[in-house]
Amino acid sequence: MEPQLTPTPPTGGHTTDAPVATPPSPGAPIHREPYWDVEAGPPQGGELRMAGFKHLMVPAMAAACLSEEPWCLDNAPQLTDRQALAAMLTQLGARVDVDEAADRVRIDASPLHGHRVPADWSAQVHGGAYLLPVLLARHGRVESGAHGGCRIGGGSRGGRPVEHIARVLERFGACCTTDGAGLTATAPADCAAR
């Protein structure tokens, strides 16, 4: 028997969507939201390997850039974000080795030297935005074009906004400029020189 999902309509005949502030009197119909009954199929055997969590992998790849020691991320899911961040970090001077078979990414950021997030890669994924504070911390300056990803937020031309990142960096003393096409920031010590 295959697993079955069956919608179950509300019961009791109560049709209003307004919340009920007091418990109904005994015998009165009770309004219940529709729900799904799930009937399991036959038990399954074997092993199941869970993929890593994208929303942990992306900031972990950026955080690796704050270390002078190599980082090894195991169970890094095979996603566009991983490919794009690996390419960005490589263009910025880091050594990145991806073992596809093991879902492992090794990042040695000790030779990291660039401060411009490559626009051709950042336009594809939002994950490059995580590199902005890292590069600012390492080099005292960061420049980035628009960041892509899901089309949410108020970014120009469909890109993801970066103004919220600029506001956070400014709270730490950075001087930031956003122009709808990206972000430029300098570290607090460099702000006086601008």
Side-chain angles (χ1 to χ4, degrees), residues 42-48:
Q44 301 295 311
E47 290 185 18
L48 176 65

Side-chain angles (χ1 to χ4, degrees), residues 35-60:
Y35 64 94
W36 292 87
D37 283 334
V38 178
E39 297 175 17
Q44 301 295 311
E47 290 185 18
L48 176 65
R49 185 167 187 266
M50 299 299 292
F53 185 48
K54 166 189 171 175
H55 296 288
L56 177 58
M57 178 195 65
V58 171

